[in-house]
C-alpha cells in the first residue's frame, strides 16, 4: 500500500527557513502529481506547491508562497521536499504531503480534492 511519511516540521522565527521531506513507499509506478498542502484549524486544506508530471514536468505554487518556497523531488530516494524560506507567521499550519496517480490532478493541481494519497502531516509554527 502507498505510504507517505512527512518529516522536518518544527518551530522557527519569522524570516527563518525549514525543509520538509516526504518519503514515499509502496507504489512502483509513476505518480501524476506530488505536492504539499497545509491546513489551519477551521480552514480548508490549501495547496502550497505541486509537481505535475502529466505531459511534462510542471510546478505550481500558491501565490502566497511564490518566491519563498521551492518544491523538488529526489527520484533515487523517492522523496519530495519543500524548502521554505523567509517564513512568516501566516505560514503556520499542519503541512501534508499528497500524491495522485490518475492524472485528474493535472486539471486543478492545487486542489485537495484531486489527490488520493495523503501523509499524516507535520506541524510548522512560525513565531513573530
Amino acid at each position: 500500500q502507498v505510504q507517505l511519511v512527512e518529516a522536518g516540521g518544527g518551530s522557527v522565527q519569522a524570516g527563518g527557513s525549514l525543509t520538509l521531506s516526504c518519503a514515499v513507499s509502496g507504489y512502483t509506478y509513476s505518480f501524476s502529481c506530488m505536492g504539499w498542502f497545509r491546513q489551519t484549524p477551521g480552514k480548508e486544506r490549501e495547496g502550497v506547491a505541486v509537481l505535475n508530471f502529466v505531459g511534462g514536468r510542471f510546478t505550481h505554487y500558491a501565490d502566497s508562497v511564490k518566491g519563498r518556497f521551492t518544491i523538488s523531488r529526489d527520484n533515487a530516494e523517492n522523496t519530495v521536499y519543500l524548502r521554505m524560506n523567509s517564513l512568516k507567521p501566516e505560514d503556520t499550519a499542519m503541512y501534508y504531503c499528497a500524491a495522485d496517480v490518475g492524472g485528474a490532478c493535472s486539471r486543478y493541481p492545487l486542489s485537495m480534492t484531486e489527490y488520493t494519497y495523503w501523509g499524516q502531516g507535520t506541524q510548522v509554527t512560525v513565531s513573530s
Side-chain angles (χ1 to χ4, degrees), residues 38-63:
R38 66 187 181 186
Q39 188 172 23
T40 55
K43 293 190 176 181
E44 189 173 293
R45 195 170 295 185
E46 63 170 352
V48 175
V50 167
L51 287 169
N52 177 358
F53 302 108
V54 179
R57 183 185 171 107
F58 309 97
T59 55
H60 307 271
Y61 292 96
D63 288 342

Short mmCIF file of all heavy atoms in Angstrom, two decimals, residues 38-63:
data_model
loop_
_atom_site.label_atom_id
_atom_site.label_comp_id
_atom_site.label_asym_id
_atom_site.label_seq_id
_atom_site.Cartn_x
_atom_site.Cartn_y
_atom_site.Cartn_z
N ARG A 38 -1.45 22.56 3.10
CA ARG A 38 -1.40 22.95 4.50
C ARG A 38 -2.80 23.30 4.99
O ARG A 38 -3.68 23.66 4.20
CB ARG A 38 -0.45 24.12 4.73
CG ARG A 38 -0.87 25.44 4.08
CD ARG A 38 0.24 26.48 4.23
NE ARG A 38 -0.13 27.76 3.64
CZ ARG A 38 0.71 28.78 3.53
NH1 ARG A 38 1.97 28.68 3.96
NH2 ARG A 38 0.29 29.92 3.00
N GLN A 39 -2.95 23.19 6.31
CA GLN A 39 -4.26 23.43 6.89
C GLN A 39 -4.11 23.98 8.30
O GLN A 39 -3.28 23.52 9.08
CB GLN A 39 -5.07 22.12 6.93
CG GLN A 39 -6.51 22.29 7.33
CD GLN A 39 -7.29 21.00 7.15
OE1 GLN A 39 -6.74 19.90 7.14
NE2 GLN A 39 -8.60 21.13 6.97
N THR A 40 -4.94 24.97 8.60
CA THR A 40 -5.04 25.51 9.95
C THR A 40 -6.44 25.21 10.47
O THR A 40 -7.37 25.00 9.68
CB THR A 40 -4.78 27.03 9.96
OG1 THR A 40 -5.67 27.66 9.03
CG2 THR A 40 -3.35 27.34 9.57
N PRO A 41 -6.61 25.19 11.79
CA PRO A 41 -7.91 24.84 12.36
C PRO A 41 -9.04 25.71 11.82
O PRO A 41 -8.92 26.94 11.78
CB PRO A 41 -7.70 25.05 13.85
CG PRO A 41 -6.25 24.83 14.06
CD PRO A 41 -5.58 25.38 12.83
N GLY A 42 -10.10 25.06 11.40
CA GLY A 42 -11.27 25.78 10.92
C GLY A 42 -11.21 26.21 9.48
O GLY A 42 -12.16 26.82 8.98
N LYS A 43 -10.11 25.93 8.83
CA LYS A 43 -9.97 26.33 7.42
C LYS A 43 -9.79 25.12 6.53
O LYS A 43 -9.37 24.04 6.96
CB LYS A 43 -8.78 27.28 7.25
CG LYS A 43 -8.97 28.63 7.91
CD LYS A 43 -7.88 29.59 7.49
CE LYS A 43 -8.11 30.98 8.06
NZ LYS A 43 -7.06 31.94 7.65
N GLU A 44 -10.10 25.31 5.26
CA GLU A 44 -9.94 24.24 4.29
C GLU A 44 -8.45 24.03 3.97
O GLU A 44 -7.67 24.97 3.99
CB GLU A 44 -10.70 24.61 3.00
CG GLU A 44 -10.80 23.50 1.98
CD GLU A 44 -11.70 23.87 0.82
OE1 GLU A 44 -12.91 24.01 1.04
OE2 GLU A 44 -11.19 24.02 -0.29
N ARG A 45 -8.13 22.79 3.66
CA ARG A 45 -6.75 22.48 3.29
C ARG A 45 -6.44 23.14 1.94
O ARG A 45 -7.20 23.00 0.98
CB ARG A 45 -6.59 20.96 3.19
CG ARG A 45 -5.17 20.48 3.17
CD ARG A 45 -5.10 18.97 3.33
NE ARG A 45 -5.60 18.53 4.63
CZ ARG A 45 -5.54 17.28 5.05
NH1 ARG A 45 -5.00 16.34 4.28
NH2 ARG A 45 -6.03 16.96 6.23
N GLU A 46 -5.32 23.83 1.88
CA GLU A 46 -4.98 24.57 0.67
C GLU A 46 -3.69 24.04 0.05
O GLU A 46 -2.77 23.62 0.76
CB GLU A 46 -4.82 26.06 0.96
CG GLU A 46 -3.69 26.41 1.91
CD GLU A 46 -3.41 27.90 1.98
OE1 GLU A 46 -3.99 28.68 1.20
OE2 GLU A 46 -2.59 28.29 2.83
N GLY A 47 -3.65 24.09 -1.26
CA GLY A 47 -2.46 23.68 -1.97
C GLY A 47 -1.36 24.71 -1.84
O GLY A 47 -1.61 25.90 -1.95
N VAL A 48 -0.14 24.24 -1.60
CA VAL A 48 1.01 25.12 -1.42
C VAL A 48 1.96 25.02 -2.61
O VAL A 48 2.32 26.03 -3.21
CB VAL A 48 1.77 24.76 -0.12
CG1 VAL A 48 3.04 25.59 0.01
CG2 VAL A 48 0.87 24.95 1.09
N ALA A 49 2.35 23.80 -2.95
CA ALA A 49 3.29 23.58 -4.04
C ALA A 49 3.10 22.17 -4.58
O ALA A 49 2.96 21.23 -3.80
CB ALA A 49 4.74 23.75 -3.57
N VAL A 50 3.09 22.06 -5.89
CA VAL A 50 2.83 20.77 -6.53
C VAL A 50 3.75 20.54 -7.71
O VAL A 50 4.03 21.48 -8.47
CB VAL A 50 1.36 20.70 -7.00
CG1 VAL A 50 1.15 19.52 -7.94
CG2 VAL A 50 0.42 20.61 -5.81
N LEU A 51 4.21 19.31 -7.85
CA LEU A 51 4.89 18.85 -9.05
C LEU A 51 3.87 18.09 -9.89
O LEU A 51 3.28 17.12 -9.41
CB LEU A 51 6.06 17.92 -8.70
CG LEU A 51 7.30 18.57 -8.09
CD1 LEU A 51 8.24 17.51 -7.55
CD2 LEU A 51 8.01 19.43 -9.12
N ASN A 52 3.69 18.52 -11.12
CA ASN A 52 2.71 17.93 -12.03
C ASN A 52 3.46 17.26 -13.16
O ASN A 52 4.13 17.93 -13.95
CB ASN A 52 1.79 19.05 -12.53
CG ASN A 52 0.77 18.58 -13.55
OD1 ASN A 52 0.73 17.41 -13.92
ND2 ASN A 52 -0.05 19.49 -14.00
N PHE A 53 3.34 15.94 -13.25
CA PHE A 53 4.10 15.18 -14.25
C PHE A 53 3.26 14.80 -15.48
O PHE A 53 3.74 14.07 -16.34
CB PHE A 53 4.65 13.91 -13.62
CG PHE A 53 5.54 14.17 -12.43
CD1 PHE A 53 5.10 13.87 -11.15
CD2 PHE A 53 6.80 14.72 -12.59
CE1 PHE A 53 5.91 14.12 -10.05
CE2 PHE A 53 7.61 14.97 -11.50
CZ PHE A 53 7.17 14.67 -10.22
N VAL A 54 2.05 15.29 -15.57
CA VAL A 54 1.18 14.97 -16.70
C VAL A 54 1.59 15.80 -17.90
O VAL A 54 1.49 17.02 -17.88
CB VAL A 54 -0.29 15.22 -16.35
CG1 VAL A 54 -1.18 14.89 -17.55
CG2 VAL A 54 -0.71 14.39 -15.13
N GLY A 55 2.10 15.16 -18.95
CA GLY A 55 2.51 15.86 -20.15
C GLY A 55 3.81 16.58 -20.04
O GLY A 55 4.17 17.37 -20.93
N GLY A 56 4.55 16.33 -19.00
CA GLY A 56 5.84 17.01 -18.82
C GLY A 56 6.16 17.09 -17.34
O GLY A 56 5.84 16.18 -16.58
N ARG A 57 6.83 18.16 -16.97
CA ARG A 57 7.13 18.38 -15.56
C ARG A 57 6.86 19.85 -15.27
O ARG A 57 7.60 20.72 -15.76
CB ARG A 57 8.58 18.02 -15.25
CG ARG A 57 8.94 18.16 -13.76
CD ARG A 57 10.42 17.91 -13.54
NE ARG A 57 10.84 18.23 -12.19
CZ ARG A 57 11.15 17.33 -11.27
NH1 ARG A 57 11.09 16.05 -11.56
NH2 ARG A 57 11.54 17.71 -10.06
N PHE A 58 5.85 20.09 -14.49
CA PHE A 58 5.44 21.45 -14.20
C PHE A 58 5.39 21.65 -12.69
O PHE A 58 5.12 20.72 -11.95
CB PHE A 58 4.06 21.73 -14.80
CG PHE A 58 3.94 21.37 -16.25
CD1 PHE A 58 3.41 20.14 -16.63
CD2 PHE A 58 4.39 22.23 -17.24
CE1 PHE A 58 3.32 19.78 -17.97
CE2 PHE A 58 4.29 21.89 -18.57
CZ PHE A 58 3.76 20.67 -18.95
N THR A 59 5.62 22.87 -12.27
CA THR A 59 5.47 23.20 -10.86
C THR A 59 4.36 24.24 -10.71
O THR A 59 4.20 25.12 -11.55
CB THR A 59 6.77 23.74 -10.25
OG1 THR A 59 7.23 24.85 -11.02
CG2 THR A 59 7.85 22.67 -10.21
N HIS A 60 3.63 24.11 -9.63
CA HIS A 60 2.56 25.04 -9.32
C HIS A 60 2.73 25.49 -7.88
O HIS A 60 2.95 24.67 -7.00
CB HIS A 60 1.19 24.37 -9.49
CG HIS A 60 0.99 23.73 -10.82
ND1 HIS A 60 0.48 24.40 -11.90
CD2 HIS A 60 1.26 22.47 -11.25
CE1 HIS A 60 0.42 23.57 -12.94
NE2 HIS A 60 0.89 22.40 -12.57
N TYR A 61 2.60 26.79 -7.65
CA TYR A 61 2.73 27.34 -6.32
C TYR A 61 1.54 28.23 -6.00
O TYR A 61 1.02 28.94 -6.88
CB TYR A 61 4.00 28.20 -6.19
CG TYR A 61 5.29 27.42 -6.27
CD1 TYR A 61 5.98 27.31 -7.48
CD2 TYR A 61 5.82 26.80 -5.15
CE1 TYR A 61 7.17 26.60 -7.56
CE2 TYR A 61 7.01 26.08 -5.22
CZ TYR A 61 7.68 25.99 -6.43
OH TYR A 61 8.85 25.28 -6.50
N ALA A 62 1.14 28.22 -4.75
CA ALA A 62 0.16 29.19 -4.29
C ALA A 62 0.79 30.57 -4.35
O ALA A 62 1.99 30.72 -4.12
CB ALA A 62 -0.27 28.86 -2.86
N ASP A 63 -0.01 31.57 -4.66
CA ASP A 63 0.51 32.94 -4.77
C ASP A 63 1.20 33.38 -3.49
O ASP A 63 2.20 34.11 -3.52
CB ASP A 63 -0.62 33.91 -5.10
CG ASP A 63 -1.12 33.76 -6.53
OD1 ASP A 63 -0.39 33.16 -7.35
OD2 ASP A 63 -2.23 34.22 -6.81
#
